[in-house]
Amino acid sequence: MATTAVSAESKNYLNAEYGIRSWLLTTDHKRIAILYLISITLMFFIGGYFALLIRLELLTPAGDLLTADMYNKAFSMHGQIMVFFFLVPSIPAVLGNFLIPMMVGAKDLAFPRINLLSWYVYIGGAAMYIWCVITGGVDTGWTFYTPYSSLFSNTHVVEACLAIFFAGFSSILTGLNFVVTVHRMRAPGMTWTRLPLFVWSHYATSIVMLLGTPVIAITLVLVILERTLNLGIFDPSRGGDPVLFQHLFWFYSHPAVYIMILPSMGVISEIVPCFSRKRVFGYTFVAMASIAIAVIGFLVWAHHMFVAGISLYSALVFSFLSYLVAVPSAIKVFNWTATMYKGSVSFSTPMLYAMGFIGLFTMGGLTGLFLACLGVDVHVHDTYFVIAHFHYIMVGGAVLGYLGGIHLWWPKISGRLYPEAWGRLAAIIVFIGFNLTFFPQFILGYLGMPRRYWDYSHMPEWQALNVLSTAGASILAVGYLLPLAYLLWSLRYGKIAGDNPWMATGLEWKTSSPPPTFNFEQTPEVTWEAYEYEKMPLPEEVTLER
Amino acid sequence: MFDNFPLWPTAASSHAVTEDWVYIFLVVLSAVMSLLIFLTIVVFGMKYRRRHGREAQQIEGSTILEVAWTVAPLGVFLGIFAWGAVLYFDERTPPAGAAEIYVVGKQWMWKLQHMEGVREINQLHIPVDRDIKLIMTSQDVIHSFFIPEFRVKQDVLPGRYTTLWFHATKPGIYHLFCAQFCGTQHSGMIGEVVVMNASEYQAWLTGGAPVGSLAQDGQTMFLQLGCQTCHRFDVQGRGPNLVGIFGKPVQLEDGRVVTADENYIRQHILTPGRTIVSGFRNIMPSWQGQITEEQLNSLVAYIKSLNPPPAGAAGVPNP
Ligand SMILES: [Cu+2]
Ligand SMILES: [Cu+2]
């Protein structure tokens, strides 16, 4: 292509300035996205390392590889890192940061400096968390249940809470920036109904971040105060209530599930139309489903507490509402599937991830019905069934969406194509490894294997399924390392991408790759709807060799 | 082969059988729906694979379809909700006359007190075909009493009682787990539930060294702690007469009316000032931190025993 040579040399956000200072003091949302990308990738591999320790320990029934305390720290830190330092910021802070201004046709986010601040706050939290890990770690599980966390644990609970408090603030700042940007910074003609669904889902996510995160922040502060000043809020011997903590914790942490999955749904809503060359089926319904999820998602928190001693009638209400919140997710799945109907489908890497997402998210959602079902939850609560369920949502859903999104926008971010054959191979490996890791855990859970068990020597019959799971985890690890390797490789050796290698709609593809610092040469004027694929030519088939 | 590769836990309680049916229904539903979605994606992918000369056909959407796939799942969901709710209701409402056993969880063991006075650690012996109700509390962190073969689980909280009931249907030895993470030896907080025939159970009960019943222990405590100085059974003392109060409504000084259940009695002994009985002065001392959870259980059992005897104390068949 003639344009490729030009865009490679022209000024873009990557070569506009050089030097470490130009990165650390940047207010360019695209550079900040890259800073986030590097930091969360690091955190992901630390969290993954702990996952590996867990799976290796469970290879044999006896607690032989780690001590009990080490194991308890391993799963606690795996969960805390993956949730608070990887999944919550993942798509919003990287892809959302990079793309939302471009998708709405703006030069930057509404508050570029707050955006940079949010990264610093995140780094402050992450650094404190790593400090906590190095000095001995924390063993409360990612859930910090009181009074164990507040009165009994001898580990670094205060540091961990503070670190997460920081991470929470960075996500509040990101959410604030997105909400204001979507309201105030849209280009002329970019009406709400012309917004890409990626923007809609991030808008919904941001609302959850803004309303939910302060609650977890203050809850963790209460745990800190209880530990340091002996406040007694959660201590029953002084009139406190340990279950109150669970209400506060889940008031954020259930909606947090949607902070993690909604952005991923946004990515899928971009990938499926692009690789089916079709308008998204039922645009309005998909967009409104995001909002419905964000709203109802705030009303279901106590479904994590059906056996925690809440009253019979409140359990009924929360079970009922949990079924309601499942409906908009089902709507999305049906609409994505329908989008492929009579399309012109290509199985490129992002599409493979999207198809994987739809299937695995469906399974994650369906197994959620078991947990929302009061009578069944009594048995499977706090067993491996729950572990399997939320990994189907968080990995099968959120992480697959993240990987799909990284591949889809990699040409835009880096200006280079990744090697397609490797991409497809890695996607298939991730899919197989994932299922082998987590499907056996459904069975283990129904058999009654409780979560957070370090040693199961009295139940040797659980070993076979655990061995399968560990085998799957090692395959999954390969699937994660491959993209790391070939994406880095492509930065230097990948083919020059061109502005719009997928022939996708969306304003981000109308500017050069990588985009210039202020995104567009002149402010675009939007006269079209999102996903007008009928007006787009087919992409040159991205060939299998590099 | 299935000894090493089990796929299904034994069902050994009345609740387990009904719960399994809901589970089976959900498994079938999920399998069908997942297959449907997987197959549709794969079939669409194959059938509409990108080919030269064939273009995608644009379809904006269809309101009829949207309504259909909103309403249909909602209907199914409500059905599942109702089914699960019925099950839960049953699981959370102990039948009258269930034999009671007190449970204290602590890092990292289960302590059990039978009404007959027998105590056990990490082992629970119960008769088959009897309704059993556990009255549970923790002396430190939150634990969770979980018997997978019975499909029941209930968190055990410090500072209050929670209850759990079941009806074992098969003699045998089953797992007892702590399901709520509780510190270092969480995975060691396990034990077994031994379900025995009525006759074996009787033999087991009387086999050990003779002991007084839990209520008798409670009576001893009651006298030792000097409760009878205020709570007299003949005349109205400085405190109310405790005979027959269990399970009855109590009028409190602040206007509330509460039921005198186990939690009320327990809490009244620990923090009397929080629920002052109407017509009395707030002079009852607090025993917070001065008696153990087990002693507290015996006091509660004693005060309950002052009621006319309920149908079916442990060991006696249900009516
Ligand atoms: Cu939830
Ligand atoms: Cu425990």
Side-chain angles (χ1 to χ4, degrees), chain B residues 9-59:
Chain B
T10 321
S13 77
S14 56
H15 184 73
V17 182
T18 38
E19 197 270 349
D20 276 354
W21 279 115
V22 190
Y23 183 74
I24 291 169
F25 172 80
L26 285 169
V27 168
V28 172
L29 177 82
S30 304
V32 170
M33 283 311 295
S34 306
L35 270 181
L36 211 75
I37 296 285
F38 267 107
L39 281 181
T40 316
I41 293 175
V42 171
V43 167
F44 282 1
M46 293 300 180
K47 190 155 172 218
Y48 305 117
R49 190 144 191 196
R50 191 163 305 167
R51 278 189 211 93
H52 281 291
R54 199 185 60 76
E55 276 197 13
Q57 231 174 31
Q58 297 303 325
I59 306 164

Side-chain angles (χ1 to χ4, degrees), chain A residues 67-129:
Chain A
T67 65
D69 281 323
M70 278 162 74
Y71 180 81
N72 295 344
K73 287 177 183 174
F75 71 69
S76 303
M77 299 192 291
H78 164 69
Q80 290 170 6
I81 291 177
M82 286 307 199
V83 170
F84 297 110
F85 294 97
F86 174 71
L87 282 168
V88 166
S90 62
I91 297 181
V94 178
L95 296 174
N97 229 333
F98 196 96
L99 295 163
I100 286 179
M102 277 193 266
M103 285 182 165
V104 303
K107 286 199 178 93
D108 205 316
L109 285 173
F111 309 115
R113 271 183 284 186
I114 288 189
N115 195 20
L116 181 63
L117 176 66
S118 96
W119 181 72
Y120 275 103
V121 173
Y122 170 84
I123 285 296
M128 181 170 293
Y129 197 86

Side-chain angles (χ1 to χ4, degrees), chain A residues 325-480:
Chain A
V325 80
V327 174
S329 297
I331 294 177
K332 285 194 179 228
V333 168
F334 292 132
N335 278 297
W336 291 320
T337 312
T339 302
M340 291 173 72
Y341 178 66
K342 297 208 168 163
S344 168
V345 180
S346 109
F347 294 116
S348 304
T349 310
M351 188 61 177
L352 291 183
Y353 278 114
M355 288 162 64
F357 174 103
I358 300 175
L360 299 182
F361 176 75
T362 302
M363 288 178 68
L366 285 165
T367 49
L369 300 181
F370 292 61
L371 298 167
C373 178
L374 288 163
V376 176
D377 184 61
V378 168
H379 176 56
V380 291
H381 181 75
D382 271 337
T383 67
Y384 265 86
F385 192 94
V386 177
I387 308 291
H389 157 73
F390 73 71
H391 280 89
Y392 266 79
I393 303 282
M394 305 281 73
V395 180
V399 175
L400 257 60
Y402 173 72
L403 289 173
I406 289 286
H407 283 86
L408 176 67
W409 284 295
W410 189 251
K412 186 53 64 181
I413 296 172
S414 69
R416 303 280 180 158
L417 294 177
Y418 57 85
E420 181 63 26
W422 283 104
R424 293 184 191 184
L425 179 68
I428 291 167
I429 291 178
V430 166
F431 185 82
I432 294 172
F434 170 81
N435 281 298
L436 190 56
T437 311
F438 293 105
F439 196 83
Q441 297 184 3
F442 283 123
I443 304 169
L444 276 172
Y446 203 70
L447 287 174
M449 180 169 179
R451 64 193 293 192
R452 299 169 173 176
Y453 264 32
W454 158 68
D455 174 311
Y456 56 98
S457 11
H458 293 275
M459 289 71 68
E461 67 271 20
W462 291 342
Q463 189 177 11
L465 288 161
N466 271 296
V467 170
L468 283 182
S469 182
T470 301
S474 18
I475 298 177
L476 190 55
V478 174
Y480 287 148

Side-chain angles (χ1 to χ4, degrees), chain B residues 113-223:
Chain B
Q113 300 170 284
H114 292 258
M115 295 308 287
E116 293 79 3
V118 183
R119 294 176 182 215
E120 304 184 73
I121 286 182
N122 290 345
Q123 258 202 338
L124 172 60
H125 288 77
I126 51 164
V128 73
D129 278 330
R130 285 288 316 277
D131 297 335
I132 307 282
K133 174 183 171 189
L134 305 182
I135 302 171
M136 311 187 291
T137 188
S138 159
Q139 75 187 51
D140 39 48
V141 301
I142 300 178
H143 302 277
S144 191
F145 199 95
F146 177 30
I147 310 170
E149 289 86 352
F150 293 177
R151 314 282 189 273
V152 293
K153 176 186 295 114
Q154 173 61 51
D155 282 7
V156 177
L157 305 170
R160 61 180 259 211
Y161 287 122
T162 52
T163 59
L164 177 68
W165 84 272
F166 44 78
H167 183 109
T169 49
K170 274 189 216 163
I173 299 179
Y174 305 113
H175 291 109
L176 162 59
F177 297 130
C178 174
Q180 183 63 268
F181 178 66
C182 57
T184 308
Q185 288 299 334
H186 167 55
S187 58
M189 194 167 162
I190 60 176
E192 51 193 30
V193 177
V194 184
V195 179
M196 311 163 102
N197 293 323
S199 55
E200 284 172 26
Y201 179 72
Q202 269 315 321
W204 175 82
L205 260 188
T206 47
V211 284
S213 75
L214 190 61
Q216 275 163 357
D217 280 5
Q219 186 175 28
T220 318
M221 283 300 299
F222 197 81
L223 299 174

Side-chain angles (χ1 to χ4, degrees), chain A residues 250 253-255 257 300-301 303-304:
Chain A
W250 290 114
S253 294
H254 182 81
V257 172
V300 301
W301 74 89
H303 65 205
H304 298 267

Side-chain angles (χ1 to χ4, degrees), chain A residues 299-313:
Chain A
L299 307 175
V300 301
W301 74 89
H303 65 205
H304 298 267
M305 300 166 61
F306 290 152
V307 300
I310 60 173
S311 88
L312 204 66
Y313 297 98

